[in-house]
Amino acid sequence: MRELKIVDFLAELADRRPAPGGGATAALHAAQAAALLGMVGRYSTGEKYAGHAEAIVAVIAETDTLRARALKLAEEDAAAFTAVTDAYRLPKGELRGAAIAAALAGAAEPPALVIEAATRVVELCELLLPIGNRNVVTDVAAAAEAARAALTTARVNVEVNLGGIKDEPVREKLNITLSGVDAAVARADWVTAEVREEINR
């Protein structure tokens, strides 16, 4: 998937096939958020930003890692959802039910990890906002908004699988991840509000 041109990925997304779908899209939102923030970091280097050089270098490195991780999660999500459709095609019986439950647990994992990655991107937006290059401050807001989309899109993709997951420890772990989404979304909203206030002064 990562080797596809954007036009080809969108054609696959629009096609009548189960994957890629919303989960892969959530991961790509997170990847774009991380990339935008990496760009802001790279515009915030040099003598003028020397007082924050260590923090900015760390943001650049981490956003690069998060971008690569999110792209991998997009691919993992597509593969996991394909496993779900394969499980539903099995003959009815006990083995089918167990296969579906296991596949749903597998399908919930990539979007849950997207939530974690996107939450971290929001934290990095908060860190970079006061110290980054003001000429690209709107891109901090753009990163926050992309991370917000990743969070809310990944959440529904976890929730849709949750009902069919029988493993209680897995369900509990997923619910803990979901419980932090609203707070992360609120923080992303705060970043955007701060940027809008700054540019509209």
Side-chain angles (χ1 to χ4, degrees):
M1 183 186 300
R2 73 182 72 195
E3 302 302 328
L4 287 176
K5 293 181 179 177
I6 292 172
V7 66
D8 295 329
F9 171 75
L10 292 176
E12 285 195 11
L13 196 61
D15 203 0
R16 184 174 173 170
R17 62 175 74 179
T25 301
L28 287 176
H29 285 316
Q32 290 178 108
L36 280 164
L37 209 55
M39 181 261 283
V40 174
R42 287 180 170 89
Y43 269 112
S44 305
T45 57
E47 188 178 340
K48 184 177 178 181
Y49 306 96
H52 303 289
E54 188 176 341
I56 289 167
V57 167
V59 168
I60 292 168
E62 190 169 359
T63 53
D64 286 351
T65 299
L66 287 165
R67 172 165 47 94
R69 183 178 173 203
L71 275 177
K72 189 168 184 290
L73 288 171
E75 293 175 335
E76 289 176 4
D77 182 87
F81 196 77
T82 300
V84 172
T85 59
D86 290 345
Y88 273 105
R89 290 193 185 107
L90 293 172
K92 287 188 177 179
E94 193 174 313
L95 288 177
R96 180 178 183 266
I100 290 170
L104 289 173
E109 186 174 351
L113 292 172
V114 168
I115 289 170
E116 292 178 7
T119 298
R120 182 57 184 158
V121 172
V122 173
E123 291 170 356
L124 294 174
C125 286
E126 293 173 318
L127 191 157
L128 198 52
L129 177 60
I131 63 175
N133 187 326
R134 304 338 281 169
N135 293 324
V136 286
V137 71
T138 53
D139 291 296
V140 180
E145 289 298 310
R148 186 190 198 285
L151 287 161
T152 56
T153 306
R155 174 168 58 189
V156 295
N157 279 275
V158 172
E159 289 172 340
V160 73
N161 295 306
L162 204 53
I165 297 172
K166 309 303 181 188
D167 188 321
E168 279 306 315
V170 172
R171 287 178 59 86
E172 184 178 351
K173 184 179 177 185
L174 291 170
N175 277 316
I176 289 169
T177 299
L178 291 174
S179 69
V181 170
D182 283 340
V185 166
R187 292 167 73 179
D189 288 343
W190 177 85
V191 170
T192 299
E194 288 293 300
V195 171
R196 292 185 68 212
E197 184 178 345
E198 178 176 334
I199 65 176
N200 289 307
R201 281 179 191 146

